[in-house]
Amino acid sequence: MNSDDSFGHEPHPWIGRAVQDIPSKGTGRLMAVVHEKVVNYEGQERWVRLAYIRPASGVEWSTAVGNIFLLP
């Protein structure tokens, strides 16, 4: 993870493989796992791990890394 405000890309073993986002049931290719700084409603900062998924439409979305599973 980078110590500045930029994204910290993680070399995740599922990059490029088909995954499903459990909450949305959406499927696509895992394009990146990043460490991103977010601010909550109280103004507190924290780092989260986000998975970026690209479906056939090409419009990526992000979800928590814990929300994805590898498709066969």
Side-chain angles (χ1 to χ4, degrees), residues 29-59:
R29 298 241 172 251
L30 180 63
M31 302 308 294
V33 173
V34 300
H35 296 260
E36 188 174 331
K37 189 185 295 186
V38 297
V39 179
N40 70 10
Y41 67 94
E42 295 176 333
Q44 299 167 326
E45 294 181 345
R46 65 187 178 102
W47 288 93
V48 295
R49 288 175 70 218
L50 295 177
Y52 281 84
I53 302 169
R54 182 182 297 162
S57 71
V59 179

Side-chain angles (χ1 to χ4, degrees):
M1 176 172 35
N2 294 335
S3 61
D4 59 12
D5 289 338
S6 63
F7 295 115
H9 287 260
E10 178 180 315
H12 196 279
W14 296 354
I15 299 292
R17 300 196 52 198
V19 296
Q20 183 171 30
D21 176 23
I22 296 166
S24 73
K25 296 183 175 46
T27 62
R29 298 241 172 251
L30 180 63
M31 302 308 294
V33 173
V34 300
H35 296 260
E36 188 174 331
K37 189 185 295 186
V38 297
V39 179
N40 70 10
Y41 67 94
E42 295 176 333
Q44 299 167 326
E45 294 181 345
R46 65 187 178 102
W47 288 93
V48 295
R49 288 175 70 218
L50 295 177
Y52 281 84
I53 302 169
R54 182 182 297 162
S57 71
V59 179
E60 292 183 15
W61 77 91
S62 63
T63 189
V65 172
N67 287 344
I68 63 171
F69 70 89
L70 188 62
L71 292 174

